[in-house]
Amino acid sequence: MSTLSPQFGSIIPSQTQQLLNTNYLKFNTGTGADFAQQYLPEIYEAEVERYGNRTLSGFLRMVGAEMPMSSDQVIWSEQNRLHIAYTGVTQANGGTGTNPSTITLNAAGSPTNVVSINDTVVILDPVNGLEAKGIVTASTVGVGTAGNFSVQLYKGTSLTTQGFAASGLKVFVYGSDYTKGTTIGTGSGNSAARNSVNPVLTQYSNSPVIIRNQYVISGSDMAQIGWVEVATEDGTSGYLWFLKAESETRLRFEDYLEMALVEGELNAVTGSGVYQASQLPGTQGLFAAIQDRGNVEVGFTAAGGLTSFDQILKNLDTQGAIEENMLFLQRQTALDFDDMLAALSSGANGGVAYGLFENSEEMALNLGFSGFRRGSYDFYKTDWKYLNDASTRGGIVGISSIEGVLIPAGTSTVYDQQLGTNIRRPFLHVRYRASQADDRRMKSWLTGSAGGAETSTLDAMEVNFLSERCLVTQGANNFVLFKGI
């Protein structure tokens, strides 16, 4: 009978510590064993934070506040301008008096004519660079072509003979002029009735959206423990197993609370009465509000320099002229601002404006400007991580992307429809649904039958997150959105 030598799968030990072809494992055959299986692998318990702080929220906490509300809609009213002015009007010769010019308020969307007889007006032609002044001799109340008035010019005969364009003019009232001993009545001329100017508030509204998320882990996976040492973005550190994923779900949801209010859009789809996700009303976020009611600066670069930035200031002068403003910018736009400011303080040897830096060349050469003043405005500049992160708007090239936003600091006075009084609010703030029965600012709860939850027969633990909120952007005409070309 033959004998197997060595026996299949066997290793014959040696009595002394010496290498024999029968007592050591071979890992160079390419089959069976792997050399790495000889030892347990070296495992780093700590998680490597290769992306740094991954959370994006915090922007709205810096610039606004959070306040509860108890309805499906938040409504606020904003003041209109105080003085009487019309743009985009047309003019023609004709009417009563000696060589008057008839001003017709036929611009699209023009308001009702409230100019009265004996009002004194300034007429501007921005195309030809002309200006004229006169007194109103006749006025017809109305909207569009029905609203017109005749102006007797103080100098010259008519607007046409002076070279004014037939359309695209601007007219504003700067006072009135009456003769002695007259009254304002119902007649014509100096005794003509004046048109009463009733203030009209512009009303805006926004609706909250319900934001939800959920993390689910089965009971079996909860019993299979694998520890990981972590240092989370919310400041806690230690060992986690399945709760590592739950922690990240919570952090991601907290970012969604802000991202939804920054990127939110109103849904223009009209519903048919059937509940569909595509027919939800949506909510107006920050970017949408500025593009709808604010100012948009396209293609700001360092090459444009101070000239481009001064155009923004001139436009702010026509709006609320808020003195202090905050700039939240993506990296390239922030560098463009630094380059623009550095050029102002540069020279052959580092700067002609050392005085801005306490005459210190070392300070002047620190080209990371965090704040500056131009004209009567103060600006505080910071990077906005949301615009730089690769998982959101960062790294986008070649499209008309969002590159930054200018937000006015301080508060605004508005009329609150629910309180019935004027209140002061930050220009940008969050409203969330809450009442004595339920607070929906940020809810989280457990369901299932594992992990301490005993609410159903599901062999899992469900961690639920919910919030209902919207963003109120008041005085959007004071905001500026920076967009790429």
Side-chain angles (χ1 to χ4, degrees), residues 89-91 101-105 123 147-151 159 169 171:
V89 303
T90 62
Q91 64 87 16
S101 294
T102 300
I103 306 297
T104 304
L105 308 179
I123 306 169
N148 56 73
F149 52 90
S150 298
V151 178
L159 295 175
L169 308 180
V171 179

Side-chain angles (χ1 to χ4, degrees), residues 369-382:
F369 296 88
S370 59
F372 60 97
R373 183 175 181 86
R374 177 66 173 170
S376 59
Y377 297 96
D378 291 321
F379 299 94
Y380 306 99
K381 180 176 69 69
T382 184

Side-chain angles (χ1 to χ4, degrees), residues 45-364:
E45 292 182 345
E47 189 179 41
V48 178
E49 302 176 27
R50 61 172 176 169
Y51 292 118
N53 189 336
R54 297 166 298 166
T55 58
L56 303 173
S57 61
F59 164 72
L60 292 179
R61 287 196 295 268
M62 293 175 61
V63 299
E66 291 187 350
M67 290 163 281
M69 67 176 185
S70 58
S71 62
D72 287 331
Q73 191 178 40
V74 54
I75 302 174
W76 71 95
S77 301
E78 298 183 4
Q79 294 175 338
N80 286 320
R81 297 190 181 274
L82 179 64
H83 298 286
I84 302 171
Y86 301 97
T87 58
V89 303
T90 62
Q91 64 87 16
N93 295 338
T96 61
T98 305
N99 294 323
S101 294
T102 300
I103 306 297
T104 304
L105 308 179
N106 58 354
S110 63
T112 302
N113 175 29
V114 294
V115 178
S116 301
I117 297 176
N118 290 99
D119 279 348
T120 51
V121 297
V122 175
I123 306 169
L124 302 173
D125 183 352
V127 176
N128 298 307
L130 299 175
E131 173 185 325
K133 298 177 182 178
I135 185 169
V136 177
T137 58
S139 181
T140 303
V141 178
V143 178
T145 56
N148 56 73
F149 52 90
S150 298
V151 178
Q152 181 69 53
L153 301 181
Y154 287 129
K155 295 181 180 180
T157 53
S158 67
L159 295 175
T160 302
T161 58
Q162 294 185 41
F164 276 71
S167 60
L169 308 180
K170 177 180 179 180
V171 179
F172 67 91
V173 177
Y174 71 89
S176 59
D177 193 359
Y178 286 83
T179 57
K180 295 180 179 181
T182 59
T183 60
I184 299 177
T186 58
S188 59
N190 286 321
S191 61
R194 292 194 59 83
N195 296 324
S196 296
V197 181
N198 296 319
V200 178
L201 297 176
T202 302
Q203 197 171 82
Y204 299 103
S205 65
N206 204 0
S207 300
V209 289
I210 300 175
I211 310 168
R212 301 196 62 174
N213 206 342
Q214 186 184 64
Y215 171 71
V216 181
I217 183 171
S218 68
S220 298
D221 290 337
M222 292 179 64
Q224 180 177 339
I225 301 175
W227 296 100
V228 178
E229 185 180 2
V230 299
T232 62
E233 283 81 358
D234 58 5
T236 60
S237 61
Y239 289 89
L240 295 177
W241 56 10
F242 65 88
L243 291 179
K244 158 68 174 172
E246 186 276 335
S247 174
E248 292 200 350
T249 303
R250 178 182 294 272
L251 292 174
R252 184 165 49 250
F253 181 74
E254 290 176 351
D255 281 351
Y256 287 164
L257 297 184
E258 181 169 297
M259 294 165 64
L261 302 189
V262 170
E263 297 281 1
E265 290 281 352
L266 292 173
N267 197 346
V269 178
T270 56
S272 58
V274 180
Y275 180 82
Q276 297 180 12
S278 62
Q279 296 175 359
L280 293 174
T283 188
Q284 188 178 57
L286 173 64
F287 294 157
I290 299 178
Q291 294 188 84
D292 182 34
R293 300 181 273 118
N295 310 283
V296 178
E297 173 70 17
V298 179
F300 178 83
T301 62
L306 204 59
T307 301
S308 298
F309 189 71
D310 284 348
Q311 294 300 318
I312 299 175
L313 300 188
K314 292 176 182 178
N315 186 63
L316 292 178
D317 287 339
T318 67
Q319 305 302 318
I322 308 301
E323 182 179 3
E324 294 187 345
N325 299 271
M326 295 172 286
L327 290 164
F328 293 87
L329 308 171
Q330 54 113 266
R331 174 59 62 194
Q332 183 56 53
T333 308
L335 293 177
D336 287 339
F337 272 91
D338 287 344
D339 292 344
M340 177 189 73
L341 297 172
L344 299 178
S345 299
S346 65
N349 297 313
V352 296
Y354 285 164
L356 295 176
F357 307 94
E358 300 177 356
N359 289 321
S360 169
E361 181 178 354
E362 289 76 14
M363 293 179 64

Side-chain angles (χ1 to χ4, degrees), residues 378-391:
D378 291 321
F379 299 94
Y380 306 99
K381 180 176 69 69
T382 184
D383 292 334
W384 189 2
K385 186 177 181 181
Y386 177 70
L387 299 181
N388 292 321
D389 195 280
S391 60

